[in-house]
Amino acid sequence: MHDTVPPGWPEEVRPPGAPDWERTAVTWLYDLVPPDYRAHEVLRRYPVLLARFAADHVAAGLEAARTGWRTVRVELADQLPADAIEAAMTAYEREGARLAAAARGVEVVAGALRGERWVPRL
């Protein structure tokens, strides 16, 4: 990754200042939210607001994955074989990791959209 972006910067988004970087940020943010969000003109018009909606959506998904991981074994143990429970736990873990990375990406992209610049520390 480019050395002018903070840790967690999504690979799909060009670095701030690069040609079309905001367009790549908006495209990436829309990929994180439900398709119906594209119908809201205000989100197209204000990428910082889109980032806020994406942050909220990703946070809700992350919380759902964490809740599912904590409860699936107890709630479905009588209804699923052990291998299905273990596969579900693995799926929740992977989804949780993906969403945690997306949350960090939204955070740093939102900062850049607000004009914040990252300076690496020595």
Side-chain angles (χ1 to χ4, degrees):
M1 178 48 56
H2 200 276
D3 63 353
T4 60
V5 296
W9 189 266
E11 291 181 15
E12 300 87 350
V13 180
R14 293 181 183 164
D20 290 332
W21 89 267
E22 285 189 20
R23 182 189 55 75
T24 64
V26 167
T27 298
W28 180 75
L29 289 166
Y30 270 126
D31 286 345
L32 295 175
V33 299
D36 292 347
Y37 282 31
R38 293 176 190 272
H40 301 288
E41 175 64 31
V42 70
L43 300 181
R44 284 194 301 278
R45 194 166 181 193
Y46 299 101
V48 171
L49 184 58
L50 173 60
R52 168 63 188 266
F53 272 59
D56 290 344
H57 183 75
V58 169
L62 182 55
E63 183 56 34
R66 288 175 175 161
T67 299
W69 186 88
R70 285 191 312 267
T71 62
V72 70
R73 188 179 307 274
V74 172
E75 292 179 0
L76 296 178
D78 296 349
Q79 299 168 14
L80 295 173
D83 62 325
I85 295 290
E86 291 310 312
M89 298 289 291
T90 299
Y92 276 126
E93 288 172 7
R94 287 183 184 153
E95 188 62 8
R98 182 190 73 78
L99 288 166
R104 174 65 181 147
V106 170
E107 180 182 342
V108 295
V109 167
L113 288 168
R114 289 189 305 267
E116 297 172 11
R117 294 295 172 240
W118 182 75
V119 178
R121 294 183 186 169
L122 299 177

